[in-house]
């Protein structure tokens, strides 16, 4: 019978390598983060698995994924990062908040609201390193892929602390040339036969965005997983776009279509991973996101 692992056999430095792979999903990227090559990362994790007597990583379609035991190890070990940051702060004597905070957010909101908020944090707190990952998909807790996450609708993942962040509007827009070349659109029935610019149906993983069927009579003429591509296609006359109002209203090349009749409201949720190591830094970023949203609430739901 194999003996149980002993604490003195486990290198805390090796654990740091596992946490790095869990954060970025790839050994090459983890090596870059740690300033070593990927073979060193592989060797360190092999040694950690041998010391613990358990497999911690499995190869997945998009990189390395934590096993159930690996996830438990990372959850418990993430505090090591915070301790190291506190030690550095104590040694420097400057009292600055330090740490790395990764934020996951939908691409449009991430670029136009999260990025400015993070830039403001960076200006005030240079000891905080910031990462923004944009993706419109349900929140996943595999590994330790985020510290804060903004999702569309309620977060359906367990083991996160969630709160409402903001409401935003989706409305119809079209280019002036597109509308000038067609009969006037004055009622919902007039939308029939028009091409819709929106998400790719088959790749839509957020059920709150399954709105195309509500616009009966319209057909998806141009679909994209990128809201920026949707805006560009709408500008170019590919159809009538169901766009984020905070993007459509600000674009002088786009005209609102039936704003009094088509006005979908969706909720954004802010979730925090409880075991995030940089507690103080996470709190600062969370407050900055709330402040950015409060300051620009009229952009999220513009007056009609």
């Amino acid at each position: 019978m194999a003996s149980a692992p002993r604490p003195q056999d486990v290198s805390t430095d090796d654990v740091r390598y596992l946490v790095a792979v869990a954060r970025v999903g790839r050994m090459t990227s983890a090596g870059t983060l740690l300033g070593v090559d990927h073979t060193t990362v592989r060797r360190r994790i092999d040694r950690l698995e041998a010391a613990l007597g358990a497999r911690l990583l499995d190869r997945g379609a998009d990189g390395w994924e934590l096993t159930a035991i690996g996830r438990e190890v990372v959850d418990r070990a993430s505090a090591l990062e915070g301790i190291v940051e506190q030690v550095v702060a104590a040694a420097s004597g400057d009292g600055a908040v330090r740490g790395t905070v990764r934020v996951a957010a939908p691409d449009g909101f991430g670029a136009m609201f999260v990025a400015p908020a993070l830039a403001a944090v960076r200006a005030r707190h240079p000891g905080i390193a910031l990462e923004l990952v944009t993706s419109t998909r349900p929140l996943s807790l595999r590994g330790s892929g985020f510290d804060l996450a903004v999702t569309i609708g309620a977060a359906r993942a367990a083991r996160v602390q969630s709160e409402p962040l903001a409401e935003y509007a989706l409305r119809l827009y079209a280019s002036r040339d597109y509308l000038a070349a067609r009969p006037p659109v004055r009622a919902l029935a007039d939308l029939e036969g028009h091409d819709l610019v929106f998400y790719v149906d088959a790749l839509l993983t957020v059920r709150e965005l399954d709105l195309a069927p509500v616009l009966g009579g319209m057909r998806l003429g141009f679909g994209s997983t990128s809201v920026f591509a949707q805006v560009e296609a709408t500008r170019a006359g590919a159809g009538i776009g169901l766009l984020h109002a905070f993007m459509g209203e600000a674009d002088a090349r786009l005209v609102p279509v039936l704003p009094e009749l088509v006005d979908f409201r969706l909720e954004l949720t802010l979730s925090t991973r409880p075991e995030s190591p940089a507690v103080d830094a996470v709190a600062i970023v969370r407050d900055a996101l709330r402040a950015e949203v409060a300051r620009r609430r009229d952009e999220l739901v513009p007056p009609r």
Side-chain angles (χ1 to χ4, degrees):
M1 180 177 180
S3 59
R6 302 178 304 168
Q8 59 266 38
D9 295 331
V10 178
S11 165
T12 54
D13 201 41
D14 291 347
V15 175
R16 287 180 55 245
Y17 282 75
L18 177 66
V19 171
V21 175
R23 176 175 285 275
V24 297
R26 299 184 183 278
M27 292 197 184
T28 302
S29 301
T32 301
L33 191 66
L34 295 168
V36 299
D37 59 57
H38 72 280
T39 59
T40 299
V41 178
R42 175 75 267 183
R43 185 173 65 255
R44 291 298 196 98
I45 290 176
D46 286 345
R47 188 168 72 179
L48 180 60
E49 289 182 331
L52 294 174
R55 186 166 184 80
L56 305 174
L57 290 170
D58 282 329
R59 172 75 76 175
D62 298 321
W64 291 94
E65 297 178 0
L66 293 168
T67 63
I69 295 175
R71 190 176 304 114
E72 184 71 18
V73 170
V74 168
D75 287 349
R76 293 173 182 268
S78 292
L80 285 173
E81 291 183 282
I83 292 171
V84 171
E85 297 292 351
Q86 293 173 29
V87 169
V88 171
S92 66
D94 60 8
V97 177
R98 301 177 186 276
T100 299
V101 179
R102 173 176 288 185
V103 182
D107 61 344
F109 182 82
M112 298 187 68
F113 285 82
V114 179
L118 296 186
V121 169
R122 182 68 183 165
R124 293 192 300 268
H125 302 278
I128 300 178
L130 298 160
E131 301 174 350
L132 173 60
V133 179
T134 58
S135 175
T136 304
R137 61 175 55 189
L139 182 60
S140 171
L141 275 181
R142 290 182 300 178
S144 56
F146 71 93
D147 299 292
L148 291 164
V150 179
T151 54
I152 299 169
R156 287 180 284 276
R159 297 165 45 233
V160 294
Q161 299 168 351
S162 299
E163 60 185 284
L165 179 62
E167 182 182 60
Y168 75 97
L170 284 168
R171 297 175 186 169
L172 294 175
Y173 298 88
S175 70
R176 299 180 190 280
D177 289 344
Y178 179 92
L179 293 174
R182 292 162 177 80
V185 178
R186 299 193 178 97
L188 289 174
D190 296 333
L191 293 173
E192 185 170 357
H194 282 275
D195 286 339
L196 176 67
V197 178
F198 198 47
Y199 289 95
V200 179
D201 286 340
L203 300 178
L204 196 56
T205 57
V206 177
R207 62 177 176 79
E208 286 85 355
L209 289 171
D210 189 17
L211 300 172
V214 181
L215 299 170
M218 296 191 76
R219 57 182 181 271
L220 185 66
F222 182 97
S224 175
T225 56
S226 165
V227 295
F228 294 100
Q230 293 170 21
V231 170
E232 289 296 332
T234 304
R235 286 173 180 162
I240 298 177
L242 182 57
L243 308 175
H244 295 65
F246 63 78
M247 301 177 78
E249 293 293 326
D251 195 323
R253 291 167 289 183
L254 296 178
V255 178
V257 176
L258 304 179
E260 299 293 334
L261 299 176
V262 180
D263 183 54
F264 297 107
R265 302 292 177 88
L266 298 181
E267 291 287 341
L268 292 170
T269 298
L270 179 61
S271 298
T272 307
R273 187 167 61 88
E275 64 274 15
S276 294
V279 177
D280 292 341
V282 168
I284 288 171
V285 174
R286 185 175 61 242
D287 290 345
L289 290 175
R290 290 173 179 153
E292 187 74 14
V293 164
R295 183 176 66 84
R296 301 170 60 191
R297 200 169 298 277
D298 286 348
E299 294 178 50
L300 291 163
V301 184
R304 288 177 288 190

